[in-house]
Amino acid sequence: MGARDVGLPDRAPAEGLPDRVTIWEVGARDGLQNEQAVVPVEVKLEFLDRLADAGLDTLEATSFVHPGWVPQLADAEELLAGLRRRDGVRYPVLVPNERGLDRALAAGVEHIAVFGSATEAFARRNLNRSLDEQYAMFEPVVTRARAEGLDVRAYVSMCFGDPWEGPVPAARVAAVGARLLDMGCSQLSLGDTIGVATPGQVEALVRELAVEGVEQSVLAVHFHDTYGQALANTLAALRLGITTVDASAGGLGGCPYAESATGNLATEDLVWMLEGMGVETGVDLDKLADTSAWLAGRLGRPSPSRVVRALRG
Ligand code: HMG
Ligand code: MG
């Protein structure tokens, strides 16, 4: 500890930013889906509870995917059954198909997310479907979920580059996103699955989406931090009017079907920047950093988050 309290940044409000940002915390899903070892369900439950206690109100909890494809999240039913739900906290889950929706409905979920791909290669690897076939898989999920009163988010992966196909045209991403929104999804999260984007690409994609009639208000951003660009890209997105940002406590994360994917933007790094710029997050950074340090201990390696390392060594 230096001469001043370094537990929080000094505040210097910046122009052109929203007053408040919603953090869509994906640590328990995107973070833990990529761990080598399966994390015990009790640890996951404590993790989620501590995240809620730190003030995060949107906690992506798990995925109802094929348990053979993602064994790390095969305990989805058990997790939902053990969840200590808190008032005002949403617990969305990933659902790829009708079988997943049946399971999610039986577990009492209220918010789901389908996850599409902007590229053929990743659609096949991640969903065992072609780019076109993914729509046929999602359509009945979105329709049935809406009829059941569920809220449905859509992800698009590989928005800014794909390890097999290389550059991904923004117009194609925008077309995929618009099609998922047309199905009835309420929000579109733009995934930089392998963390290669830079801010100009974010601006170009948001422009393309506007051409497709997609407003910033329905957009969220989901940056992995492989090349250290996640915060810069987030700031670009905020300046474009996007107010929902996906992040993962401690910077956990990755996708088992995209080898070059590393951790998500760390929630602590995001909160540090936002608090410093005077943007409300509702998050207690101290409790959050404690949670990530605790989980890093359970996982047996240090948190990749720069802020967690700075605060908790
Ligand atoms: P498939 O093998 O083509 O499935 O997998 P299928 O429809 O042919 O069914 C085969 C068998 O699996 C059937 O059983 C189904 O019932 C069963 P059988 O009749 O043979 O006994 N089955 C299921 N069982 C339980 N739950 C289910 C389910 N579905 C089928 N949901 C499938 C297709 C989509 C299921 C598979 O490819 C899959 O699970 N993929 C998920 C991969 C994944 O979770 N990836 C990580 C998340 S995406 C991500 O991380 C990116 C993101 O963070 C954004 C970004 O960073 O860009 C969101
Ligand atoms: Mg991801």
Side-chain angles (χ1 to χ4, degrees):
M1 187 80 69
R4 69 183 185 87
D5 178 7
V6 292
L8 280 174
D10 288 339
R11 278 205 163 201
E15 294 291 317
L17 294 173
D19 296 334
R20 196 179 170 89
V21 162
T22 298
I23 299 177
W24 188 289
E25 169 61 46
V26 298
R29 192 279 303 171
D30 208 339
L32 299 184
Q33 77 180 8
N34 208 40
E35 283 301 309
Q36 291 285 327
V38 176
V39 176
V41 71
E42 306 78 50
V43 175
K44 293 178 180 178
L45 287 167
E46 182 172 348
F47 182 41
L48 284 162
D49 207 44
R50 290 178 70 146
L51 292 172
D53 196 49
L56 288 153
D57 63 7
T58 307
L59 302 176
E60 201 168 85
T62 186
S63 300
F64 286 89
V65 296
H66 193 295
W69 282 63
V70 185
Q72 293 87 342
L73 304 183
D75 57 5
E77 274 82 3
E78 212 185 331
L79 183 101
L80 265 291
L83 202 57
R84 189 151 76 83
R85 291 168 202 265
R86 300 194 187 209
D87 285 347
V89 178
R90 303 184 283 179
Y91 299 92
V93 300
L94 259 55
V95 167
N97 55 13
E98 288 199 88
R99 173 83 184 93
L101 180 63
D102 292 339
R103 292 173 58 205
L105 288 170
V109 309
E110 292 171 356
H111 303 268
I112 67 163
V114 295
F115 47 104
S117 171
T119 69
E120 190 68 49
F122 190 64
R124 290 190 184 277
R125 281 178 168 80
N126 199 47
L127 298 167
N128 202 22
R129 297 291 182 278
S130 70
L131 198 56
D132 276 339
E133 286 165 353
Q134 68 179 344
Y135 302 117
M137 186 162 73
F138 296 143
E139 185 111 54
V141 174
V142 179
T143 306
R144 275 183 56 204
R146 294 281 314 275
E148 296 278 350
L150 270 55
D151 186 59
V152 187
R153 163 187 249 213
Y155 283 97
V156 185
S157 286
M158 301 296 176
C159 288
F160 304 98
D162 173 293
W164 301 282
E165 294 186 16
V168 182
R172 166 138 45 93
V173 180
V176 171
R179 191 151 168 191
L180 293 171
L181 286 170
D182 284 347
M183 276 182 200
C185 298
S186 60
Q187 189 177 62
L188 187 68
S189 179
L190 306 172
D192 184 13
T193 319
I194 56 169
V196 289
T198 50
Q201 281 181 284
V202 177
E203 288 176 21
L205 179 53
V206 172
R207 268 200 308 275
E208 281 295 341
L209 282 157
V211 172
E212 291 280 349
V214 178
E215 307 263 339
Q216 283 93 321
S217 59
V218 301
L219 294 176
V221 285
H222 179 103
F223 296 117
H224 286 260
D225 205 22
T226 320
Y227 289 85
Q229 307 297 301
L231 261 188
N233 291 332
T234 300
L235 185 54
L238 296 175
R239 292 205 191 282
L240 291 164
I242 293 172
T243 58
T244 300
V245 179
D246 299 2
S248 140
L252 296 166
C255 176
Y257 293 98
E259 274 155 32
S260 35
T262 63
N264 290 78
L265 167 63
T267 313
E268 290 85 353
D269 299 12
L270 174 63
V271 170
W272 183 276
M273 180 180 81
L274 293 175
E275 291 291 332
M277 294 191 304
V279 179
E280 287 293 323
T281 64
V283 174
D284 181 328
L285 187 57
D286 210 37
K287 285 186 177 177
L288 182 59
D290 274 346
T291 301
S292 293
W294 161 80
L295 188 64
R298 300 299 304 241
L299 299 176
R301 57 188 159 70
S303 159
S305 159
R306 303 295 289 261
V307 169
V308 174
R309 288 187 191 201
L311 294 178
R312 293 293 177 273

